[in-house]
Amino acid sequence: MSFPVAVLASGRGSNLAALIDAREAGKLLIDIVLVASDKADAPALRNAEAHGIPTFALDPKTFASRREFDEALFANVAASGAQLVVLAGYMRILDAAVTAQWVGKMINIHPSLLPKYRGLHTHRRVLKAGDLEHGASVHFVSAELDGGPVIAQARIDIHPGDTEDALAARLLSQEHCLLTACVGAIARGEVRERDGTVLFHDRPLTAPLRLGDGGNLLVA
Ligand code: GRF
């Protein structure tokens, strides 16, 4: 079996689709052992089912607390045998105690050049600030929202007249390449986390890796 990966997604699931496509094209040696969601109607679940991937959804409203929900969710994730959890558009804040059990084994994709613009509405905030550049980051998940060590980033220029939607769409295709590259690098053992630092080929990174034109990860 290849490297087992679980994906959590709340919605559309285009990042999940990119992982599935790369895997099916033989470009990503992973097994997606589970796709889970906090939304039973998430399109990401339907896509996973169509590809024969096990899925489940849990409704947060049926749990008394965030911790109980996350404990139930991650008990299922652990049972799947996943060695890596990918948050791909998973729109819930995670309980810190549950997150602590997955340090170094859980990554998130966020549509900004972290540490800038943690949280929501990143495209809108970038435009409002008048930035010339935007991007996406993949980071190891820590208890702090969008705050864990950044593995790699993809950058795009902001064009005059760009709208939130145009920017989001242009960035999304880069997100797909970035996430695929990061998952591949972790699966191959090239990237890992130690004491809050990202190691690339066993050397600590002093800056996030960048996504090269060929979809590979380069030291910045
Ligand atoms: C992406 O922009 C991702 O960076 C953010 O949520 C969005 C999810 O998109 N965390 P999709 O569901 O993967 O299409």
Side-chain angles (χ1 to χ4, degrees):
M1 183 165 116
S2 325
F3 188 75
V5 174
V7 179
L8 303 190
S10 299
R12 178 178 57 181
S14 70
N15 278 288
L16 167 67
L19 295 179
I20 293 173
D21 291 350
R23 185 198 177 279
E24 291 188 350
K27 295 178 188 159
L28 189 57
L29 296 181
I30 62 168
D31 273 340
I32 302 179
V33 292
L34 177 69
V35 174
S37 185
D38 56 329
K39 306 261 188 239
D41 59 354
L45 293 177
R46 303 293 88 76
N47 187 27
E49 285 157 11
H51 286 85
I53 298 168
T55 64
F56 77 92
L58 290 181
D59 181 355
K61 291 197 288 294
T62 62
F63 290 82
S65 66
R66 180 181 303 283
R67 176 154 307 172
E68 284 172 49
F69 174 80
D70 282 352
E71 281 174 352
L73 179 71
F74 279 87
N76 280 286
V77 171
S80 76
Q83 289 184 32
L84 176 70
V85 179
V86 178
L87 306 182
Y90 183 66
M91 301 307 284
R92 273 181 67 81
I93 290 173
L94 295 174
D95 175 77
V98 176
T99 303
Q101 295 167 19
W102 289 85
V103 168
K105 292 183 177 171
M106 180 153 59
I107 61 172
N108 178 45
I109 180 151
H110 181 73
S112 82
L113 292 171
L114 289 171
K116 291 177 90 170
Y117 309 116
R118 294 175 182 178
L120 297 174
H121 308 303
T122 58
H123 315 300
R124 189 183 310 169
R125 289 156 66 201
V126 158
L127 288 173
K128 195 168 174 213
D131 291 2
L132 299 175
E133 194 180 40
H134 189 27
S137 306
V138 171
H139 64 93
F140 283 109
V141 173
S142 68
E144 198 181 348
L145 180 68
D146 300 328
V150 178
I151 300 165
Q153 294 179 320
R155 294 171 181 268
I156 61 169
D157 290 334
I158 297 177
H159 302 157
D162 257 341
T163 61
E164 208 176 317
D165 286 350
L167 204 49
R170 211 159 66 245
L171 186 59
L172 195 62
S173 62
Q174 293 296 301
E175 287 189 31
H176 298 162
C177 296
L178 180 69
L179 185 63
T180 303
C182 288
V183 170
I186 293 169
R188 291 189 299 273
E190 296 167 7
V191 165
R192 58 195 174 92
E193 198 256 4
R194 191 182 63 198
D195 301 334
T197 300
V198 178
L199 303 183
F200 184 52
H201 293 290
D202 295 327
R203 296 210 183 112
L205 282 185
T206 52
L209 299 166
R210 66 183 175 84
L211 184 68
D213 291 341
N216 47 338
L217 295 177
L218 305 168
V219 175

